[in-house]
Amino acid sequence: MFSTTRLPSRTALPTFLRLSDTFATETARTTTSFARSRRNMPTELLANQKPLEKVSRSPFNVAFNVHRRTASHFACRGDFNSNPSLLICNKDSGLQSRTVSMWPSGRKSDWQKALSDAEKVVGYPTSFMSLRYLLSDELSNVAMHLRKLVGTKHPILKTARGFVYDGNNSMQTRGLLVLLVSKAAGPGGEWEEEEEEEGDEEEDSNGRSMVSGIYRSQRSLAEITEMIHTAYLMHRGVVNLEEVTSADGTVDDMSFGNKMAVLSGDFLLANACTGLARLRNTKVVEIVSSAIADMMEGSFLLEQDNQGVTFLPDKDWAIKDWTNHTFLCSASLIAKSCQAAMMLAGHRLDIQKKAYNYGKHMGLAHRLHADLLPFSDTSDPNMPFALTSAPLVLHMEHAGRAAVTDKITQVSDKSMKVDYKQLRLEVLEGPAIHAAKELCYDHAQRALAAVTVFQESEAKSALENMTRAVTRF
Amino acid sequence: MATSVRFWKEGQRFLPIFPQLCVVREPNHCKMSLKKLCRQSRQSHARIADAKDGSWTAPGKLLCEPGRLPHCRGSQGNVCRPLLQLNTTTQIRSICTSSLCSSQKSSPDPRTPSDPFQLVSTEMSTLYNDIRMELATFGSVLRDMSHYYFDGQGKAFRPMVVLLMSRACNFHNGASENGLALPSQRRISMIAEMIHTASLVHDDVIDEADTRRGKACVSNLHGQRKAILTGDYILTVSSMALASIGNKDVVILLSQVIEDLVRGEFMQLGTKEDEDERFAHYLKKTFKKTASLLAHSCRAVAVLSGGCKEVQEVAYQYGKNLGIAFQLVDDMLDFMSTEELMGKPTAADLKLGLATAPVLFASEKYPELNAMIMRRFSEPGDVELAREAVTKTESLQQSRILAEQYCREAVRQIQQLAPSPEREALVTLTQKVLNRKK
């Protein structure tokens, strides 16, 4: 089955993968380990895997692909810290049928088109970005062990599923944005004066060579950004053993899942660390590290249960808290990676700042878009949504906190029942949806304003198109 | 009674010309490098001396500045090692009076190179406070959790080694102003402790441990998810602190540690089928999980002291050998505490399915252990049988001999540096590592 999924032939490999000096030898090794890991992979992980050839040739499948892609982006992979409860219901009721009914196909193609255009601009499909690490012996090993967890509700299965079979379709938008911003900014000014030591500076000179308008170091950075995000998803999916219920699986299984989640997240983080160090720019190391610290700080702001459903905090949660939380959890990484990409090219501070602002506001606009999606779907009035999503926060600002807390019945210490149907109706009647859309436009506008600093180019248009796409509802 | 070269100091001030003495072997190139040295230092104080009796004699030995060592390459490109066997006061004094310091009155260094802990105690006293300052965040839960293990109750073994190594290297390079570690080197000692703690937090979740350093694990108090994120946070903050030093090579060195820690953890998941490979696998894992941190942070402080490649390598090798010895002893204690300090959780490694050196040694005599190692002591009675096998054989002594060998190598390496109280402390430390009880 894996052969149909195609390991890309060497020539078909994205440039970025081929850039690795050691890749030629690695290919031989990883091909076998890929096959091996494939054999050992839990069937559940592969159940939904579609051969890409087929998908891309049939028009129907393209459309389907679009749905799944977008759905997985907004709901499934927990991207932008999206509402995980969506995920649960998708998982149970079948992702495809739901996503098809959830959004009329005409709407999403904006985003989809913006993405596929953007991928052409940077020169290769960016969803390949994590392939190299997926194929490592270490992660193959983890995949093999995950078999034991099939049937449990450990969140690592969701993350891994996204990592394995959605690898073709899933949105690695962070990396893509970093590449686009890099290309839009173009070749940088003077390099930081580098004390040339004889001999071992080869890597550096490679880092400065440009492939389709992007420095090699910037491509590495894009990859590192994706790795950090995936590691974060893995680690955020560690469950608290005390709260494990019999519906989740046995405590032993969940503990084993934790072990795998910790190890694979650590593995990705460690590779991100060494990758960052190899960029040989301590400022970049510092700023990207600070983005990770932001994500950790952000995840302590809200309590969540083992399935990733966030709880309403005890104190008042205003839209500025939402913005702060969203910035820390997701926009910070994009913003700081974009800025770091400018540093790597040696751009001036004002350009760095613009790139940072683009990443920040694009991240926030994107998240608002994702938060609004459950409210544009009318098919299932009982569909859950996050109580800490932007429309809800705005609703509380308007109608008072009690308007939401009234709908919650505390079942036990760590679980609750929410009358989603009634709550949704009230949110839709109030001004919150409109306000959230306004906020989304506002951030998109700021993002667009930031990229005006770049000269006209297809990379710049791709950035603009992606930004506009998140404001279409 | 070894006399420290600090003898050459007047109070805390170094003599400007000869920060310290060392004797270099290699008769053939001595004269050449002597001239070269004199040219480079624009001083002609380098003399050919005989270390044995301190008199000025002809070829064979060269007295030179160790700071200039990289230039003293032998005919095969090998580097002259400082021998430093000036053992008696008379020797030093005779050289001293006959050459440079006739006007200076030397007095012995009042400090005794005895207790490694005491030597760096002032610098260590602020360590945990500094770490807590780095980990200052507005989120109170995250702050409490990340500060949890930095309460000053830990052994702080790693920062101590790093600080001692910093001073020893600084002294060797003649770079030390006040005999203390540089601020950047202190940062490394802090970062080493932070990386170590972050890995402990993650290990405790992986191993489902209940207690650590005599108190409840942070994962038990706040749940596993937050514990893992806290570990990531500590690691990330250490990475920021590392980057703020601004040295690219040092960043690469310490990032390697993080990768090694993870790879070591992955190595622990598997066991090698082949019995010969198994020991190599174990040692490699030990290096990655324990020694890599010491080795790389020692090298990092050597880099920061401005040391040449050779000094860096000495620091790295010392850290590596000491680290492996440290872990070997740790693995021994896991068995010994059974007999000596009843009540402690014992044979914890076995219960985790890990075969450490004592078991691997015992398996040579009891081949039936091999099957248990392969199934990771998962069947009832396996742990007890393995423990019994270890006590019945000399495997603990064998482990100790192995640890001693690593310590000896560490000592051999560190003695290539110029003698200083810190160097002696690092030598003493190897004994402390071997004899520790907890």
Side-chain angles (χ1 to χ4, degrees):
Chain A
M1 193 174 163
F2 220 43
S3 50
T4 51
T5 335
R6 98 286 103 115
L7 220 203
S9 71
R10 276 217 49 210
T11 45
L13 276 174
T15 349
F16 134 86
L17 281 177
R18 264 185 273 128
L19 281 172
S20 159
D21 300 333
T22 53
F23 192 72
T25 46
E26 269 177 9
T27 320
R29 189 175 57 80
T30 50
T31 311
T32 48
S33 78
F34 203 15
R36 192 173 64 232
S37 66
R38 170 71 180 176
R39 264 202 310 284
N40 297 327
M41 244 168 233
T43 42
E44 204 202 75
L45 284 180
L46 306 165
N48 281 323
Q49 190 149 11
K50 286 270 186 284
L52 186 81
E53 304 280 338
K54 237 169 134 190
V55 169
S56 51
R57 276 181 200 150
S58 143
F60 167 76
N61 274 334
V62 170
F64 158 75
N65 206 15
V66 169
H67 289 302
R68 213 179 59 179
R69 179 176 194 154
T70 320
S72 66
H73 181 45
F74 289 126
C76 201
R77 294 193 64 223
D79 267 27
F80 291 92
N81 196 15
S82 75
N83 178 356
S85 55
L86 264 183
L87 212 161
I88 302 159
C89 86
N90 283 338
K91 185 182 159 196
D92 295 335
S93 55
L95 186 62
Q96 299 96 7
S97 60
R98 170 155 320 275
T99 50
V100 169
S101 64
M102 207 146 77
W103 299 294
S105 54
R107 286 194 183 167
K108 245 168 322 26
S109 57
D110 286 337
W111 177 245
Q112 175 59 27
K113 192 171 175 307
L115 279 176
S116 59
D117 289 349
E119 285 189 342
K120 277 177 210 145
V121 172
V122 297
Y124 61 95
T126 48
S127 33
F128 272 112
M129 219 166 263
S130 308
L131 188 64
R132 206 139 55 96
Y133 292 91
L134 174 62
L135 295 182
S136 66
D137 280 350
E138 282 79 2
L139 288 192
S140 312
N141 205 345
V142 168
M144 187 178 85
H145 285 293
L146 285 187
R147 180 168 39 180
K148 293 183 194 151
L149 292 177
V150 172
T152 69
K153 281 191 186 164
H154 200 288
I156 190 181
L157 286 178
K158 284 180 295 199
T159 315
R161 205 180 289 122
F163 202 38
V164 176
Y165 79 81
D166 248 15
N168 305 322
N169 303 323
S170 73
M171 317 301 325
Q172 308 221 348
T173 36
R174 288 164 188 79
L176 183 59
L177 285 175
V178 170
L179 292 174
L180 282 176
V181 168
S182 302
K183 185 160 184 174
E190 69 290 1
W191 288 89
E192 238 178 81
E193 71 298 335
E194 179 94 29
E195 71 293 0
E196 284 296 330
E197 301 153 38
E198 324 89 72
D200 55 340
E201 291 298 311
E202 261 175 55
E203 261 187 58
D204 243 355
S205 56
N206 281 341
R208 292 173 197 184
S209 62
M210 269 184 146
V211 178
S212 58
I214 302 165
Y215 291 106
R216 182 185 163 172
S217 57
Q218 293 172 320
R219 290 186 189 267
S220 302
L221 179 71
E223 186 189 32
I224 288 164
T225 309
E226 281 305 330
M227 278 198 286
I228 290 172
H229 178 68
T230 312
Y232 173 59
L233 288 184
M234 293 267 185
H235 280 176
R236 217 185 42 184
V238 168
V239 301
N240 289 337
L241 296 178
E242 239 178 44
E243 298 158 23
V244 167
T245 61
S246 52
D248 296 331
T250 66
V251 172
D252 275 357
D253 279 349
M254 297 305 260
S255 171
F256 184 78
N258 276 354
K259 194 169 169 174
M260 293 299 115
V262 173
L263 281 175
S264 39
D266 280 350
F267 177 77
L268 290 169
L269 271 187
N271 277 292
C273 261
T274 42
L276 274 177
R278 267 186 235 115
L279 298 176
R280 298 189 69 83
N281 184 324
T282 53
K283 289 268 183 307
V284 168
V285 176
E286 205 168 348
I287 194 171
V288 178
S289 300
S290 77
I292 309 177
D294 284 349
M295 288 157 87
M296 300 309 150
E297 282 182 1
S299 14
F300 277 77
L301 291 180
L302 287 177
E303 293 287 330
Q304 61 174 56
D305 74 1
N306 275 345
Q307 294 303 324
V309 179
T310 47
F311 297 121
L312 204 54
D314 292 333
K315 62 178 184 68
D316 271 343
W317 184 253
I319 194 67
K320 71 170 189 345
D321 300 313
W322 179 91
T323 309
N324 181 35
H325 178 252
T326 309
F327 172 74
L328 290 175
C329 281
S330 58
S332 164
L333 178 62
I334 310 173
K336 290 181 174 173
S337 295
C338 287
Q339 183 180 358
M342 300 298 98
M343 288 175 170
L344 284 172
H347 287 296
R348 293 191 317 271
L349 194 63
D350 58 322
I351 300 203
Q352 290 178 24
K353 205 76 207 148
K354 296 283 182 195
Y356 174 92
N357 280 336
Y358 177 80
K360 174 182 167 182
H361 292 294
M362 180 65 190
L364 289 168
H366 199 165
R367 177 61 200 280
L368 278 158
H369 185 99
D371 275 6
L372 278 162
L373 279 175
F375 294 94
S376 52
D377 173 32
T378 47
S379 62
D380 178 6
N382 284 313
M383 197 172 66
F385 43 82
L387 296 178
T388 48
S389 69
L392 267 290
V393 176
L394 289 162
H395 181 65
M396 277 187 284
E397 282 193 348
H398 169 73
R401 186 181 157 86
V404 172
T405 48
D406 281 355
K407 313 291 182 300
I408 304 172
T409 341
Q410 205 70 31
V411 178
S412 70
D413 191 26
K414 286 279 175 188
S415 73
M416 54 182 185
K417 248 182 120 96
V418 183
D419 186 354
Y420 285 109
K421 191 175 174 182
Q422 184 59 31
L423 192 51
R424 178 196 310 272
L425 276 177
E426 286 179 21
V427 172
L428 285 171
E429 278 165 13
I433 299 293
H434 181 72
K437 283 181 181 171
E438 282 298 311
L439 197 58
C440 181
Y441 290 130
D442 185 48
H443 283 300
Q445 215 51 53
R446 287 165 193 252
L448 287 174
V451 288
T452 50
V453 74
F454 302 133
Q455 288 180 348
E456 291 306 321
S457 69
E458 49 174 5
K460 183 186 172 187
S461 336
L463 285 171
E464 289 169 344
N465 290 339
M466 283 175 78
T467 313
R468 288 195 194 98
V470 295
T471 59
R472 301 211 177 103
F473 298 99
Chain B
M1 42 149 237
T3 310
S4 152
V5 189
R6 292 255 168 131
F7 200 58
W8 285 83
K9 290 187 318 180
E10 182 73 16
Q12 278 296 312
R13 268 190 16 252
F14 282 105
L15 288 174
I17 304 154
F18 273 2
Q20 67 194 78
L21 273 183
C22 73
V23 182
V24 183
R25 225 183 339 223
E26 284 248 351
N28 290 335
H29 82 286
C30 264
K31 283 172 201 153
M32 193 195 72
S33 42
L34 173 65
K35 278 186 209 150
K36 207 168 150 191
L37 266 171
C38 296
R39 235 189 357 259
Q40 275 161 352
S41 59
R42 294 207 199 100
Q43 300 285 350
S44 51
H45 295 294
R47 298 283 162 84
I48 296 168
D50 191 329
K52 280 226 176 76
D53 56 13
S55 60
W56 299 104
T57 57
K61 320 277 175 190
L62 164 69
L63 218 57
C64 73
E65 292 165 290
R68 300 288 173 193
L69 256 185
H71 304 292
C72 307
R73 286 185 187 275
S75 40
Q76 277 93 43
N78 51 329
V79 175
C80 310
R81 284 192 192 138
L83 285 179
L84 227 320
Q85 296 304 331
L86 301 171
N87 277 340
T88 64
T89 316
T90 24
Q91 284 171 14
I92 302 266
R93 189 156 293 154
S94 67
I95 297 170
C96 188
T97 41
S98 61
S99 57
L100 318 156
C101 328
S102 45
S103 61
Q104 307 271 350
K105 213 177 147 203
S106 321
S107 61
D109 194 325
R111 286 191 296 170
T112 46
S114 57
D115 188 11
F117 293 88
Q118 232 173 357
L119 210 48
V120 287
S121 61
T122 17
E123 284 163 296
M124 298 270 286
S125 60
T126 56
L127 176 85
Y128 285 113
N129 209 19
D130 291 345
I131 292 178
R132 287 196 296 269
M133 297 271 276
E134 290 289 326
L135 292 168
T137 159
F138 51 80
S140 60
V141 181
L142 180 58
R143 190 176 53 231
D144 291 349
M145 287 181 74
S146 59
H147 289 188
Y148 187 71
Y149 288 122
F150 300 113
D151 55 357
Q153 299 302 307
K155 287 194 292 276
F157 174 71
R158 288 154 188 85
M160 179 181 64
V161 175
V162 172
L163 285 173
L164 287 172
M165 182 61 80
S166 309
R167 291 212 212 162
C169 288
N170 292 350
F171 185 82
H172 181 91
N173 294 319
S176 175
E177 285 294 318
N178 51 7
L180 295 178
L182 304 169
S184 59
Q185 291 170 326
R186 289 179 62 176
R187 272 188 109 70
I188 297 289
S189 75
M190 209 172 84
I191 290 160
E193 184 69 3
M194 289 169 85
I195 293 178
H196 171 63
T197 306
S199 80
L200 287 186
V201 173
H202 281 198
D203 282 359
D204 284 348
V205 172
I206 291 174
D207 300 342
E208 296 173 61
D210 295 324
T211 53
R212 165 73 67 185
R213 290 181 182 166
K215 54 185 189 177
C217 283
V218 74
S219 48
N220 269 15
L221 294 177
H222 296 269
Q224 283 74 11
R225 183 186 314 112
K226 281 184 179 165
I228 290 301
L229 297 176
T230 303
D232 289 349
Y233 179 72
I234 297 172
L235 193 69
T236 309
V237 172
S238 76
S239 163
M240 281 159 72
L242 178 64
S244 71
I245 295 175
N247 185 314
K248 297 164 203 166
D249 297 314
V250 168
V251 173
I252 290 183
L253 284 173
L254 277 267
S255 309
Q256 185 60 43
V257 174
I258 298 170
E259 193 180 316
D260 282 347
L261 283 173
V262 178
R263 288 195 189 271
E265 199 63 46
F266 270 100
M267 285 179 80
Q268 233 171 42
L269 284 181
T271 322
K272 286 269 178 248
E273 300 230 8
D274 189 87
E275 286 143 45
D276 298 331
E277 273 180 48
R278 212 177 273 155
F279 212 92
H281 184 86
Y282 165 75
L283 286 178
K284 201 172 161 193
K285 185 219 81 188
T286 303
F287 169 74
K288 287 190 185 293
K289 281 213 68 174
T290 315
S292 171
L293 176 58
L294 274 174
H296 284 101
S297 39
C298 281
R299 188 193 276 266
V301 291
V303 169
L304 290 169
S305 80
C308 58
K309 287 250 158 60
E310 288 74 24
V311 174
Q312 292 173 21
E313 189 59 24
V314 164
Y316 177 85
Q317 289 297 338
Y318 176 84
K320 175 181 163 181
N321 284 290
L322 184 74
I324 295 178
F326 184 88
Q327 190 57 45
L328 280 167
V329 172
D330 215 51
D331 294 344
M332 280 162 58
L333 288 175
D334 196 42
F335 285 93
M336 282 155 67
S337 55
T338 328
E339 295 135 34
E340 290 166 22
L341 309 153
M342 294 292 276
K344 276 183 77 179
T346 54
D349 290 334
L350 284 178
K351 284 168 193 157
L352 289 170
L354 304 177
T356 54
V359 180
L360 293 175
F361 279 126
S363 73
E364 285 166 15
K365 217 166 235 170
Y366 293 93
E368 58 267 36
L369 280 177
N370 286 323
M372 295 184 207
I373 294 171
M374 286 313 291
R375 63 174 180 253
R376 303 177 71 84
F377 310 101
S378 54
E379 285 182 16
D382 279 2
V383 171
E384 287 69 26
L385 277 171
R387 203 183 331 184
E388 211 184 307
V390 167
T391 45
K392 270 197 279 185
T393 56
E394 287 89 53
S395 55
L396 286 175
Q397 288 88 315
Q398 283 172 302
S399 305
R400 196 188 155 82
I401 290 168
L402 189 62
E404 279 167 1
Q405 275 174 8
Y406 278 103
C407 279
R408 223 171 300 140
E409 175 61 16
V411 170
R412 193 183 73 76
Q413 292 285 348
I414 198 68
Q415 278 179 337
Q416 297 178 60
L417 295 185
S420 58
E422 288 78 14
R423 192 194 81 171
E424 295 316 312
L426 287 169
V427 172
T428 320
L429 200 59
T430 60
Q431 286 310 308
K432 284 196 185 288
V433 161
L434 277 177
N435 297 326
R436 73 200 174 99
K437 289 281 175 281
K438 60 168 220 159

